[in-house]
């Protein structure tokens, strides 16, 4: 299934996070073979319009939705 993606970021631990205006927030990991696998999904009923890694704490994500931050 292909879903629209509004932003993608990588955290210091190597995890990849993607926001979507139709399916919330998803976390992916890259396998040693170079393939991405979906690990977790959050806020699946929300429209997440953007995400940003905190400049002061690389494990903190800021999310922007239709309901605010």
């Amino acid at each position: 299934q292909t879903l629209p993606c509004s932003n993608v970021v990588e955290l210091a631990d190597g995890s990849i996070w993607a926001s979507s205006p139709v399916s919330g927030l998803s976390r992916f990991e890259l396998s040693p073979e170079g393939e991405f696998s979906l690990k977790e999904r959050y806020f699946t009923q929300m429209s997440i319009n953007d995400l940003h890694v905190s400049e002061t704490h690389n494990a903190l994500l800021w999310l922007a939705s239709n309901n605010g931050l």
Side-chain angles (χ1 to χ4, degrees), residues 4-19:
C5 179
S6 54
N7 201 355
V8 177
V9 297
E10 181 178 5
L11 297 184
D13 66 0
S15 61
I16 307 293
W17 293 83
S19 59

Side-chain angles (χ1 to χ4, degrees), residues 3-59:
L3 297 172
C5 179
S6 54
N7 201 355
V8 177
V9 297
E10 181 178 5
L11 297 184
D13 66 0
S15 61
I16 307 293
W17 293 83
S19 59
S20 172
V22 296
S23 64
L25 180 68
S26 300
R27 182 176 71 86
F28 298 86
E29 287 184 0
L30 184 61
S31 73
E33 295 80 26
E35 296 183 18
F36 288 100
S37 60
L38 177 64
K39 294 298 180 181
E40 298 176 89
R41 294 182 72 199
Y42 302 93
F43 312 115
T44 57
Q45 300 301 312
M46 287 183 67
S47 174
I48 306 295
N49 302 314
D50 200 8
L51 73 157
H52 177 76
V53 179
S54 171
E55 293 177 10
T56 58
H57 193 282
N58 195 23

